[in-house]
Structure formats: C-alpha cells, structure tokens
Amino acid sequence: MVFTSHLFFSLLLFCFLIITPSSLSLPNNQFCEAGIGHTESSCGTGTPSSSKLLIKGGTVVNAHHQHVADVYIEDGIIVAVNPTMNVGDEVKVIDATGKFVMPGGIDPHTHLEFEFMNSVIVDDFFSGQAATLAGGTTMHIDFVIPINESLTARFETYEKKAKKVCMDYGFHMVVTKWDETVSREMEVMVKEKGCNLFPYCVLNWEMG
C-alpha cells in the first residue's frame, strides 16, 4: 500500500459524493445490513452491479466555483464532468438534482482501534470508516505508534487491523525513539511499505 498513491486517488479520482446518505452508492456491500455489524465472511465480498455510474444534475462544487453538471465515472475514476450527458442502459444513474456533489474530505489525524493505557478505542477500521463515510470523508490517515517494539512489527499489526477497511487510508508511522535500527527501519517503511510520514513524539505513559 503506497500512501502517496492513496492520497492522489482520494483527491482526484474517488472524490465525488452526494450529500444525502440515502443517495450514496456504496461498492462491495461493505456496509452489510445498513452498516450495522460486519464479519469477514459477509463483508467486502460483494460485486458492484455496474462499473459505470452517472451522477446527474447535481451542483458540482470544487475549489474555485460551483455549477450544475453531470459526473460520469467508470471503475471508480471520474471520466467527465459536463453540463449534460447521455448514457446507455448499462450505466447506473443517480439523480442529484437539488443536491451538492463535492470532493470527499481527508481526515489526516485519526486513532482507530488505538491501544491506550490498558484500553482500546471502540471504533475499529470498519466502524470508524463507515461512520466517516456517512459524513462525507473519503480518506483518513491513522497513527501507528510503536510501544516497545520495532516500526516494522507495529506496522504489520496495523496492516492486519486494516483488513476490514471500507475506504481509502494511509498511515503516520510515529517515531518514539532514535537509534540506527529506527533509521534503517524508516527506509524500509518508505521503500517497502509506502509509508513516508514520520511524526515524532516522546511517550511517558504505559500503554497496554
């Protein structure tokens, strides 16, 4: 998983959604019974009914202006944004008349399933992401904090936690100490894991 790739896709390719939860088209059946509960056997295994989507007649909002337009998407990639588009029967159409269509948000500071002082944050990578998708955020960056272990070991723990994801994400790899081993591991994080964000903090509490 390459963080820079995730950020690029969130900004440019997966960016449009309609601001009414009932109108959202959610791929892969990952919300399982309207977002209540999940299991590895039942979630994330569905197949979208169509890889082509037209969001029609909404007010498209971007960084510098807004205008009424149609947004045509193929395989999760925005192909065209034009005032009016006609498509074939194989394209799923969402009527966005009277609604805003805008880039999804990016939350750069999250702590999902985070272990802190012998407790664990209740939201995991599924429930936390499901909630944030409902609010219009389409990507987040979570903090990976090693406690008495290597950067690689902690990163791999978070890779396992993130197997049940339903949206785009990246990782901050927190540096809690400094030595030559950490320096070498940072290179591994960048070259092999695609993680290139390294905030530094000094921890003075015990974490279970």
Side-chain angles (χ1 to χ4, degrees):
M1 178 195 317
V2 178
F3 165 76
T4 51
S5 172
H6 278 281
L7 180 58
F8 175 80
F9 277 98
S10 287
L11 287 171
L12 299 181
L13 304 181
F14 293 101
C15 64
F16 285 94
L17 75 157
I18 302 171
I19 315 180
T20 50
S22 62
S23 301
L24 290 175
S25 176
L26 300 171
N28 295 329
N29 194 31
Q30 289 180 339
F31 282 97
C32 308
E33 301 295 333
I36 303 172
H38 70 275
T39 64
E40 290 186 5
S41 60
S42 62
C43 284
T45 57
T47 301
S49 58
S50 174
S51 62
K52 299 178 181 180
L53 174 69
L54 180 68
I55 302 175
K56 191 169 185 62
T59 300
V60 176
V61 181
N62 58 31
H64 59 283
H65 73 286
Q66 64 183 49
H67 64 290
V68 176
D70 297 347
V71 180
Y72 179 60
I73 301 165
E74 286 188 3
D75 299 322
I77 298 175
I78 296 170
V79 176
V81 180
N82 292 319
T84 303
M85 284 184 276
N86 296 315
V87 294
D89 294 337
E90 77 280 5
V91 178
K92 181 176 181 179
V93 177
I94 295 178
D95 183 4
T97 303
K99 300 178 176 67
F100 290 108
V101 182
M102 61 176 56
I106 297 176
D107 187 344
H109 188 131
T110 61
H111 296 281
L112 296 179
E113 210 171 332
F114 177 53
E115 298 139 13
F116 178 77
M117 298 181 72
N118 296 315
S119 61
V120 180
I121 287 178
V122 66
D123 280 313
D124 62 18
F125 275 83
F126 181 86
S127 64
Q129 289 186 354
T132 197
L133 277 172
T137 295
T138 55
M139 178 188 174
H140 72 103
I141 310 174
D142 209 76
F143 281 78
V144 178
I145 305 179
I147 304 297
N148 299 322
E149 60 186 331
S150 68
L151 303 188
T152 301
R154 193 60 172 170
F155 190 91
E156 289 174 351
T157 296
Y158 268 71
E159 284 184 312
K160 292 177 182 177
K161 290 182 179 183
K163 284 185 176 180
K164 49 184 174 282
V165 298
C166 56
M167 63 181 278
D168 217 357
Y169 69 98
F171 285 132
H172 299 285
M173 172 53 70
V174 178
V175 176
T176 58
K177 64 177 183 178
W178 184 254
D179 55 32
E180 288 302 315
T181 299
V182 172
S183 177
R184 289 192 297 271
E185 280 199 298
M186 287 175 68
E187 186 174 358
V188 172
M189 290 295 105
V190 173
K191 292 183 177 180
E192 298 182 15
K193 301 295 187 179
C195 180
N196 57 8
L197 296 174
F198 298 98
Y200 177 78
C201 72
V202 177
L203 302 180
N204 57 6
W205 61 77
E206 291 295 324
M207 300 176 67

